[in-house]
Amino acid sequence: MITPPPFALLEDLLGSRTDDPRLADLHRAHGLRPPPTFPDRDGWDGMGVTEQGWEMAYKATVRVPGRYPSPRVHGVGPVIGYVTKVYITESYPAPVRDGLTVTLPEPEARARALDSMIAEYGNVVHVLHRDEQGTFEVRYHEDGRFIWYLLTLNERAENDPELLRAATPDAREIPLWPSPDPDEPFPTALRALKAHQDASGLDGLDFEAFDRFEPEAIAAWTGKDNADREFRVFGTDGSGGRVAFWRVHEELPLEQQPVVLFGSEGYVGPVAKDLCDLLYLLAAGVGPFDAAMAYTSDEDIDDQVADLRPELARIAETHLQRREGRTPKAIVEDAENEYADVRDRVESLTR
C-alpha cells in the first residue's frame, strides 16, 4: 500500500519549480502524471491523490521576488510553474504542522489562530501560522465541520513595483528581417501540396493551402505593420485562422522554419517544427488547429504512426526529407517544446 507523503515534505515543496526532481519523484511514487508545464503564463493545474487526502496546486506564474515572471527553459518551450498551494483533507492519516490532525475541533483551532475570518459560503478560516514563505490555515463549515488545511505561498500584489521592474520574460532573439518581397519564391513542397489539393482535395482535413504567401495578414491580425517581416502566411483553417512560417532562424530557409497558427479567435500556438513535419502531420489526418490546441485541450494526439494520406507524406519525401516513424504526438510535442514562446512573441507585437 502506498502511503501519503509526510506533511513536512509537502510543506518543503511549497514554492518549488515544477522541474524540481523531488516533485518528479513524488508524482512517480504516487502514480501521477509528471508535474505540469504551461503553454503560457496564465495557466494553473492541481494534482494529488484524493483517497490519501492531499493535493498540490500549481500555477504558471507566482508573484514572488526571484521567481517572477515564470521562466521558460533556455528561453523557449513551455513555461515552468511553481507549487502554490497544498491541500490536506479529512482522508489524510498523518499529522500536519505542529502535530495537528484533521480531527482538530473548530474551537481549538480558533484558540490557536493568529487571526480568523468568515470566507465565501460562510466558511470559517483560522490562520494558524504565517512566515515569509507561506500561510497555513484551517477551514471549517459554519456548523464546525472540518473542510481542509491549506498551505498557501505568499505572493505580492500584481502592481508591486519591485516585481514589475523584473517582469521581462526571457525572450528569443529574433533576426531583423527586411520587409517581405512581394515576389518571394513559394516553397516547392507547398506548390506540390496546393496542386494535390486542387486535383484531389485534402480529404476532410481542416486546412487549405494557398498558392502564394498572403500579404499583410499578420499585420492585420496584430495591428502592427512590421509583424509581416517575421511571419509568412501560406494557408488557413476552416475557421479563418492563418497558418504561417515563423522566421526565427536566420541561417535556415523558410521550409525549415517552425509552422505556427494564428487562430481566428485570438489563439496562437506552434504546429510543427518545420514544413516537413507539417506534411507528415497532415498525412496523419491532424490539422493545424488540432495540433496548436493539443497542449491546452483534453484531446489526445495519436502516438502511433498514421498513414491515412500517404500522398502527403510522399510530397514531404520528394521535396524535403523522409522521416519514417514520426508520430503526430511527437511532432506536436517537439513543436511545443521548442516554439511555445511564439505566444510571448505575438503578445509583445500586439502591445
Side-chain angles (χ1 to χ4, degrees):
M1 177 180 178
I2 299 177
T3 59
F7 182 77
L9 172 61
L10 298 176
E11 185 175 32
D12 191 46
L13 289 172
L14 185 71
S16 62
R17 286 172 44 143
T18 48
D19 59 350
D20 188 320
R22 299 174 301 163
L23 276 176
D25 290 343
L26 178 69
H27 280 239
R28 191 179 305 111
H30 292 273
L32 302 173
R33 67 184 188 273
T37 51
F38 303 88
D40 54 45
R41 292 178 166 86
D42 297 326
W44 69 275
D45 202 355
M47 299 183 191
V49 182
T50 305
E51 296 78 9
Q52 296 178 0
W54 66 277
E55 181 175 301
M56 305 178 80
Y58 300 86
K59 282 173 58 177
T61 298
V62 296
R63 291 180 171 83
V64 177
R67 304 178 193 174
Y68 179 77
S70 299
R72 297 184 187 274
V73 176
H74 306 306
V76 300
V79 170
I80 296 295
Y82 297 88
V83 178
T84 57
K85 293 181 184 293
V86 175
Y87 294 90
I88 300 295
T89 63
E90 59 186 357
S91 301
Y92 192 74
V96 294
R97 168 178 280 276
D98 300 325
L100 300 176
T101 69
V102 296
T103 60
L104 179 68
E106 192 275 331
E108 183 177 343
R110 183 184 298 274
R112 288 173 172 263
L114 302 177
D115 52 69
S116 302
M117 68 197 78
I118 302 298
E120 66 276 9
Y121 310 115
N123 295 164
V124 181
V125 178
H126 301 302
V127 177
L128 302 179
H129 178 83
R130 184 185 291 115
D131 55 28
E132 291 185 358
Q133 173 81 347
T135 299
F136 179 61
E137 65 183 46
V138 61
R139 181 172 295 216
Y140 297 86
H141 294 288
E142 54 187 334
D143 61 3
R145 289 177 295 126
F146 175 85
I147 302 176
W148 59 48
Y149 288 107
L150 175 60
L151 185 60
T152 304
L153 185 69
N154 292 337
E155 299 186 54
R156 297 192 182 182
E158 292 187 17
N159 60 353
D160 183 274
E162 180 183 354
L163 296 183
L164 291 177
R165 283 194 296 270
T168 302
D170 48 346
R172 185 190 299 271
E173 190 170 328
I174 304 295
L176 183 60
W177 300 104
S179 297
D181 180 352
D183 297 320
E184 183 173 10
F186 205 57
T188 304
L190 284 179
R191 292 202 303 270
L193 177 62
K194 180 64 165 65
H196 173 79
Q197 173 184 289
D198 291 346
S200 305
L202 292 180
D203 193 20
L205 274 173
D206 185 18
F207 175 72
E208 177 185 347
F210 298 155
D211 58 4
R212 61 180 62 86
F213 294 120
E214 182 180 30
E216 302 180 0
I218 306 305
W221 201 97
T222 61
K224 301 291 184 181
D225 291 341
N226 63 356
D228 281 313
R229 296 172 181 262
E230 200 169 314
F231 299 92
R232 293 290 186 276
V233 172
F234 62 85
T236 183
D237 65 13
S239 68
R242 290 301 188 256
V243 182
F245 292 115
W246 182 28
R247 305 174 71 201
V248 296
H249 302 298
E250 191 167 15
E251 72 281 5
L252 296 180
L254 273 177
E255 294 92 330
Q256 295 178 40
Q257 304 283 357
V259 177
V260 298
L261 174 74
F262 288 78
S264 60
E265 297 185 4
Y267 180 83
V268 176
V271 174
K273 70 176 185 178
D274 57 19
L275 180 57
C276 189
D277 261 6
L278 174 67
L279 288 168
Y280 274 93
L281 197 66
L282 295 174
V286 179
F289 179 83
D290 289 335
M293 290 295 292
Y295 198 83
T296 55
S297 72
D298 294 328
E299 297 296 324
D300 290 329
I301 295 294
D302 199 346
D303 198 23
Q304 302 297 317
V305 177
D307 198 18
L308 302 179
R309 300 165 179 81
E311 64 279 2
L312 300 186
R314 281 196 293 271
I315 292 174
E317 294 165 6
T318 300
H319 299 284
L320 297 167
Q321 185 182 27
R322 184 178 180 87
R323 289 180 180 167
E324 290 183 302
R326 287 293 273 169
T327 68
K329 184 176 182 180
I331 291 170
V332 169
E333 287 183 347
D334 286 351
E336 183 68 38
N337 287 335
E338 185 64 23
Y339 299 108
D341 57 320
V342 68
R343 302 179 180 99
D344 292 335
R345 180 58 178 166
V346 172
E347 182 180 350
S348 72
L349 291 173
T350 55
R351 287 174 186 156

